[in-house]
Amino acid sequence: MNRRDFFKIVTTTAAAATAGCRPAAESILPLVVPNEQMVPGVASWFATVCRECPGGCGVIARNRDGRVVKLEGNPDHPVNQGALCARGHAALQGLYHPDRFAGPQRREGSAVAPIGWDDALKIVAEKVTALRQAGKGRAIALVSQLEAGSLGALLDRFTQAVGARPRLALEPFGYEALRAANRVTFGRDAIPYYAFEEAEVLLSFGADFLETWLSSVGHARGFARMHTFRDGRAGTFVHVEPRQSITASSADEWIRNTPGTEGLVALAILKILIEAGAADRKFADAVAQIDVKQAAEASGVPVRQLVQVAEMFGRARPALAIGGGVATSGGNAVATLTAINLLNAATGNVGKTVRFGPDSAFGKVTPYADVAALTQAMANGEIELLLLGPRVNPAFTLPGGLKFADAARKVSLVVSFSSLPDETTALAHVVLPDTHWLESWGDYAPREGVLGLMQPTMNPIRDARPWGTTLLTLTRTVLGTEEGKGPLPWATFEQYVKSAWEPTVGANLEVALQQGGVFKDVAPVAVTAKVAAVDAAPPKLDGDGGFTLLAYPSLRFYDGRSAAASWLQEVPDTMTQAAWDAWVEIPAADAAKLGIARGDVVRVQSSQGAIELPAYPSTTIAPNTIAIPIGHRYAPYHLVPGGLGARESRPYVQAPPTTMNPVALLPAAPDGASGGVPYLAVRASITKTGARRPLAVLQATHDQEEREIAQHVDLKTAREEALRGKERELEPIGMYPPQHYPNYRWGMTVDVDACIGCQACAVACHAENNVPIVGKAQAAYGRQVSWLRVERWAEGTADHPQNMFLPMFCQHCEVAPCEPVCPVFAAYRTDEGLNGQVYNRCVGTRYCGNNCPYHVRRFNWYNFEFPAPLDVQLNPDVTVRQLGVMEKCTMCLQRIIAGKDHARDEKRKVRDGDIMTACQQTCPTQAITFGNLKDDQSAVAKQRHSPRAYHVLEEIGTRPGVTYLKKVVREHAPEKPPAGRGSA
Amino acid sequence: MPATTETVLGVFAHVDTTVRALEELRAKGYHDLAVYTPIPVHEIEDVLERDRPVSRVRLFTLIGGLTGTASGFLLTIWSAMQWGLITGGKPVASIPPFVVIAFELTILFGGVATLIGLVTLAGLPRFRRSPTFDRRFTNDRFGVAVHCAPERRPSVREILQSAGADEVRP
Amino acid sequence: MNDSPAASPTFADVNRDVLETLRPPGNLYFGWMCIVGLILTCGILAWTYQIYMGMGAAGKRTPQMWAMYITSFVFWIGIGHAGTLISAILYLFRARWRTSIFRAAEAMTIFAVLTAGLFPLIHAGRMWFAYFLLPYANQRYLWPNFRSPLVWDVFAISTYLSISTIFFIVGLVPDVAAMRDASTGWRSRIYAMLSLGWEGEHEQWRHYRRAYGLFAALATPLVLSVHSVVSWDFAMALVPGWHSTLFAPFFVDGAIFSGFAMVLILILPMRHFFGLSAYIHDRHLDAMGKLILVTGLVLTYFYICEAFTSWYSGDVFERASLFWKVTKSYAWALWLMYFCNCISPLILFSGRARRSPVVLYVVSILVLIGMWFERFNIIVPSLGHDFYPYTWGIYKPTIWDATIVIGSFAWFFILFLGFIKVMPSLSVVEVKETLPPPLKDAARAGHH
Amino acid sequence: MRPKAGVGVLGLVLLVVLIALALTNWSRRPAAARPSAQPINFPHNVHVGTYKIDCQYCHADARRSDYAGLPSVTRCMGCHKITAADRPEIKKLADYAAKGQPIPWVRVYKVPEYVYFPHKAHLRAGLKCQQCHGPVETMTTVGADTGPQLPNDFLRLVGLRPTGPPLSMGWCIECHREQNRTRDMHAPLDCVTCHH
């Protein structure tokens, strides 16, 4: 009986007595024709390619009874090697988004009405035909996202066939400057492969490569291999950025510079290296005019520090310097990146850690300058038909100065192929929804040599058609050709894509689909660097506000295309630990001067416009600089307005009064040298509005207050202990004999040194375990249900603020404080070392929640809802918890049961690696390990006995089943836990 | 006992007169007495309880209490063994916490048993009012009912009256 | 007996005066009933809403998974201590001054426990499964976890309620018999049924007195155990500020302290409105005032011990918890508690204050406020600043949980108001026992 | 004894609790279909009893999935294209097959949502279907007779030990314990094996 039934009974006992309260009979429908691929109740996996960003990671989708319920990284795919980021997981919520277009839509004025496919296609076809007949094919424009595969080729064929303008591949983060710099230095208009895994020292100039830069999951894998402490070895990572980002937090040395001076820093380092003889002398010309002292002054980085970094960088064989991020997207971006290229070239890294040949697909992005030109053409009335591909949202992602929306209103027919409503579909006259990529055929080549194949992982749940198929139909109608004839003879996109695979895949289609693609190594191409003087002076900024505006892509939402996923909104930003809302990061000193406290709404004004956001004062941002994450959008589900009868559990916040998009503050003009978007372009002023919009900050304090939750050890000690072993500490003393585990004892280890705070594990846990979404108000009030949270603990001194990321979840204590206080045995210890939680036995006294020193037990304060069709995504192997029930991490019990079942089928015991928890599986840096502690040979048991191992709050004596490995801090960090604190 | 007995009731207003009557009656060998008092009176008890054993209620209490202790331990240990679930690393049959349950059940069973003892020994509930009862006895009057052979009635009346009864009947 | 004033009432006066309290009530009484009933209705509606919406309707959160409901639960259990303490412990100690107040105090105990007993239900996330806590044979072969202090609570409180009720009812039997004989008509018939045919025959008195003594002997350790067990809800947990061996005596003392305050709050208006000054003398008030003073001083001592051990332990969690409570978000509640519980009773050092109903009344109300906040300060701030800094937070009450807590007071008072009009709120028998027994010689002497 | 206000209320509360207890047990009863509820009157006794068709011929997923599975319409038609094709019930079947529609069978056996029952593991342990589903081979219509639990609980309360009603937890547990005792199996008794 559930609560609703109970309520019915207490209110209408008489009615219940007569009605009989018998559960309604349920129908079960057998298949009409058996499906060979599917056994009801048994999951099948389909490999495809993640299209949430241009990174192109391989994913495998778990299909249960015809519905995809979980995504995982494809272990065979060379880009992500099994890992998947938070956004990748959240793709499922795009698939099952309640607001997905049910079918084609037509907008007249502000009224949007459904329309049939034939009618909708007719409108578009007539327009195309009319324009062609009028000889105005150039008035047709097609904008897609980066389509590095067959679809891109098909789109180009289409534009040629109808005589339209060349297609634009619009990516808000297009790395035009990187290409331009490579053109300058190496004469190649390409983005190379960066071999993080082979670098000994990594020097990053603002590149947020663990968040969004190029291919973050792949980089994280490589970074973990070079940087994580293993057997006494660990690489070093130095990061130069004006604010402490998530990437900066993983750095051994974070150098806070003045925005836009990265090029100067790079050149200064190169100069020091050349003067010290640690770099190729022939590059001396490039740095002839550089004065290290002046550079130090301009950048705010002391000479001493520059020398230290230079020494470290020069000593490493090989090293790797990269540049990117917002700070290197200003007017001097090409110069800055050229300087970094020279640094790499002068220290012999090109060809080793910087490899041209396996070039990135990002090289195929249309520069922003062309997009700006198109917008201008639209504004001039030169465009009469604008076709916008799925996931393209120029109305949101293009700089506010461009006024894309105004330009789009001048176009007589705007057609969008997006499957979800957004700022751009609001401008479209006709929407022809594309199938979600999980429902589609396709392919994607993220870099040379890697061709990921996409196949439908389930049947479309909405009346949507693949974009390619729609265009093929359209072309046939327009050209009046029949199927099989003409320039586009294929009937469907599936046919087209399979014919496109014919030469590469051949007869091995099935194998290739299973593997997720065709992968081969591409040999690096030799390049020579052109030495020329570089003027990397800081860029001139637009406007006269007091603060340099840094608009940076968000780890969770990228350019905003993932913002509709409630998982990503619910999981906080790792740095601020703020969920659901955006904020403006203001230097704490300036905030204090202006009387701004956290949560005060602040008006940020630039020459291009103004936005209002809650403030987040921070001590880890360069002075006179403010930072706002890009991508925070609200896509509220269509909800019934709340009233007394409505549930308070409605988790989704309403749209805020003004936009939160910092891109709206940017000027239209592209960067002259590269044609990219100048994200570092304006100075902004901030004023307090007087309103308050408190942020849902989940972490009360980043100060550990002497708790030693996240621990660290210095590299020297760690090395010594790794080589010589560590003195065994005393076994914990207990009143009772230790527990006996007859078969297995499951346990986990988390390497704090490896964790980069990317939140992938938290989102994977949401997806795997049917963890509900609570919304901003509830999250702000400590009622989140997330089983796993990634905590940020600030350490270090004011000069050297450092962060430690610590994923925290149920510790599965052997002497668990939560268990003996439960009056009904809902919490108990299993004989496999887990803390069981029996939901249907739970009465909801919440005593366990109080007594858990880690506070990882989560309570269902309401019946949190999964608005249809998001409920289809629910994992059928995990109970959906009812109101009034306590829940927590189960170490993915359902996976353990499945693993044991599988082993028993094969009449053997579970082997190490058979079972992976959802968080472990997805971790890009493999910071999480799960396994049988009883097996001495298992990875988890070995790590548990590592000298770095510790338990959180060990002194309480809970004897957790989860062991943490201390973070290894490098030379520059102080020897002892400091007295000073980082940011709060 | 003769086939028929008669009951003589003396109603007193004072404790000392009641006690005097009782002493007299006992001295004369009348032991079949029923004394009604609005409150328990020590002096009367002293007279009447000289030859009676202490109330057996306490036996009920003892047995009830011990049963409670035993069932407390039995219930907790036996039910814990049903599944043998471990919580907080403590043994399945962990005695210290079970002492609490045993203690509470000791008190509970002891109390209930005392109540049962009281009800049975005091002859409660009484559905019919005994003929010698007078409603003044719960207010401010004391009653002495003497059961005697019919032929002894006058002498009993005499004793009661001379002791100072306000009223003697029949 | 010889210390009774010259103009002491006779046995018949007692019957008459007590019967007088049961006369049909006046408008004032019904006015109070209406107000209290209205508040109770609000409380019930709020609870209904909470069941419908879920526990989120109350202001609880991580880390304060417990808040006002458990605060009020402990508060009411504490209130429930005075009655049985007076009837059992003071009975065994033969403290004569208890006789005129113990009936009201016992009734208060039962109603307080009945009120307290509601809170675990209100508090449970799925109260419709609260019966899982009872040890009953079921087809699932499942039993409660007897290691959990919450199950101890179930046993301690149900035992306490049962024993207190038995004690109370047994005490009422002779009194109800007196009411039966003093009233007429249907009232008399109802009382006749309820009195079980009690006649006051010596054989009945003999067992009665023995049984009563035994009940008192059983109830005495029970009184001490109940609040000890309730205190172990906290002391058995790990939370800094909870995990303390001090808690059992500390809670018992606090319970007596607040219980006596509540007794005064109930007795003083009764004495006033029912004109019971002849039975509830100033020396009774004086005795209770002394008890409040003593328990208050002991409580102050416990507070000092608690703070000292937290500080002197050097334990990082305990210290942080203490300093936070004393200085941060909830400091107002802590200092309010110190004022109410430690400072305000000090006025009772003055004999005149102890005999002044107004002073006593004010002090009692302050003590109740202080004791409610004591439990609040144990639960909410301790949880708000425990081991794990990530989840530290501030609890904010909502309209719903506040209404339910206020409604619980209405529930208590409606029970008590009902009681004083149907049952003798003064023990007829025991009051008579304290009066000089009617002696013929003494009477004669008096007439001369 | 005297039911005072408080006692009366206590009694009332107890009464409410008892009623709630009764209703909860009653409404948590696993769903049982009435014989006439099925869209096609399917006689298990003919298929299993008379023709000795193996259970897993039709319920083919039982050995590899949590679910036993139902035969697809084409599987039914595999035999019934010819066999007994003239009977009215078979015509209904042919009708569904012709229309390409699934047969809306009414679910007979159902455990609550918080219980995970894998058929696969039970078959692997060598259990017969009949052990849980009863003598299906003799049933004209399968109906799960899963009696109410409250009377059961009351019987236990007074010391009797009735066998648990089918598909109730006690009944599962009894079997698991017995298997472990008599067949030296390792039937799990861990709560979270079924409740996760």
Side-chain angles (χ1 to χ4, degrees), chain A residues 3 781 783 821 847 851 855, chain C residues 59-60 148 233 238 386 396:
Chain A
R3 185 197 45 84
Y781 197 57
R783 286 179 177 172
V821 298
Y847 200 168
N851 213 24
H855 285 301
Chain C
K60 294 166 214 286
S148 167
D233 285 351
L238 282 180
D386 65 350
K396 290 190 204 85

Side-chain angles (χ1 to χ4, degrees), chain A residues 418-461:
Chain A
S418 183
S419 63
L420 259 178
D422 58 27
E423 289 78 355
T424 304
T425 59
L427 300 168
H429 302 96
V430 177
V431 178
L432 297 166
D434 182 23
T435 47
H436 192 271
W437 57 264
L438 281 163
E439 302 163 335
S440 312
W441 287 97
D443 54 15
Y444 190 82
R447 66 171 189 246
E448 291 298 315
V450 178
L451 177 65
L453 302 186
M454 295 166 66
Q455 59 179 327
T457 58
M458 64 183 268
N459 283 328
I461 57 164

